[in-house]
Amino acid sequence: MTGTGDYTIASLDTGLRAMRLFLTHDTLTVTEAAERLSVGRSTAHRVLSTLESRGFAIRDTSGRGYAAGPELVRLGRPAGFGRAARERLGPVLADAAGRTGETVWSVALIGDQVIVTDGRESAHPVRVALELGRTGSAHAGAGGKLLLSRMTADQVCALYPYEELEPVTPATLTSRTALLDELALIRRTGHAVSRGASVPGMTTVAVSLAGSSWRDRLALVAAAPTDRSDDAALAERAERLRESAALLVRSGPTPGP
């Protein structure tokens, strides 16, 4: 860090350094923060409490650890947009489109929204169109739910502070309780499904694509018309997506944006 002499505000500097820790750590205890910031535990506690009061950090249910809050999540630029990342993801997306025969895309999470970062369109005569840069409600689509499932329940509740959720279609989950239940199921199965909840007549299935922390996580999504997306087709599609996602794992981590 470049020194700024008498113009440095020590408490602000410590707070900013604490925020940076959440870019590489999913959770931090007061003791861990104190060690990494080279400050006393009381100072670390005050800094984390201040970040919590402003929405930049949240406490887990145990009260001992802190995680990135909704304000910090919204500030983070999503993964998948840099040239290096797109070059790495390109072969994976092409492989997924070939394996599934459907339109596929990658999505990143920004707050309670997802954004399509890249994709490949199906050659099928009747197919879902690819819309790069399209945003949507995370609780409605498979990709968003998959990414939400990789957050803690406390982080999800911070993003959705109210029990009622906004419906996108008649099939969208409309309660936070139902969303948390589905996220628990996704954690067990390793894939997410959305049947007409984001777009009527479209069914999506998603698996984890990349990323070890909330900032650089991506989901790999396959989208198809509902009439060729029964349970058996979705299970097979999810497996094909996992096979494609494994190509990225074998080739190393995805570069950041």
Side-chain angles (χ1 to χ4, degrees):
M1 181 181 297
T2 303
T4 53
D6 295 338
Y7 291 97
T8 299
I9 301 174
S11 58
L12 176 59
D13 178 69
T14 303
L16 292 173
R17 289 190 293 122
M19 289 173 63
R20 290 187 64 183
L21 289 177
F22 286 119
L23 298 179
T24 53
H25 296 76
D26 278 347
T27 60
L28 283 170
T29 65
V30 172
T31 298
E32 290 169 338
E35 291 175 350
R36 296 182 181 278
L37 296 172
S38 299
V39 298
R41 289 187 80 259
S42 61
T43 299
H45 182 264
R46 289 196 301 272
V47 169
L48 292 171
S49 295
T50 301
L51 292 178
E52 180 189 17
S53 71
R54 293 296 184 179
F56 289 95
I58 59 170
R59 260 187 283 195
D60 62 24
T61 53
S62 72
R64 294 189 297 270
Y66 290 79
E71 292 300 322
L72 190 56
V73 171
R74 290 188 182 100
L75 288 175
R77 182 183 177 188
F81 280 105
R83 172 185 282 183
R86 290 174 68 90
E87 289 177 351
R88 289 284 307 286
L89 293 174
V92 175
L93 291 166
D95 185 79
R99 288 179 188 270
T100 65
E102 304 295 350
T103 297
V104 299
W105 55 68
S106 54
V107 296
L109 186 67
I110 311 176
D112 60 359
Q113 300 286 302
V114 289
I115 184 168
V116 177
T117 64
D118 202 355
R120 299 292 183 273
E121 197 162 284
S122 169
H124 200 286
V126 180
R127 60 184 179 272
V128 174
L130 174 64
E131 299 179 77
L132 297 181
R134 181 178 183 270
T135 60
S137 298
H139 70 280
K145 289 188 290 187
L146 189 286
L147 293 171
L148 290 173
S149 76
R150 300 200 60 196
M151 302 176 73
T152 67
D154 294 319
Q155 286 175 313
V156 174
C157 288
L159 286 176
Y160 298 94
Y162 305 107
E163 173 65 15
E164 185 176 352
L165 303 181
E166 182 178 359
V168 179
T169 76
T172 308
L173 294 174
T174 56
S175 77
R176 188 176 66 179
T177 298
L179 175 63
L180 290 172
D181 288 343
E182 183 158 347
L183 297 183
L185 175 63
I186 293 168
R187 293 185 189 104
R188 292 195 296 271
T189 63
H191 70 273
V193 171
S194 174
R195 294 178 171 88
S198 58
V199 176
M202 181 181 77
T203 296
T204 55
V205 60
V207 302
S208 180
L209 178 58
S212 58
S213 69
W214 62 266
R215 188 174 184 269
D216 60 359
R217 286 176 184 147
L218 293 170
L220 178 61
V221 182
T226 298
D227 61 4
R228 59 172 185 263
S229 299
D230 59 20
D231 289 346
L234 289 174
E236 181 178 356
R237 210 167 286 159
E239 185 57 34
R240 300 290 85 78
L241 289 178
R242 289 191 188 95
E243 293 169 356
S244 296
L247 299 176
L248 189 65
V249 173
R250 290 196 293 269
S251 62
T254 303

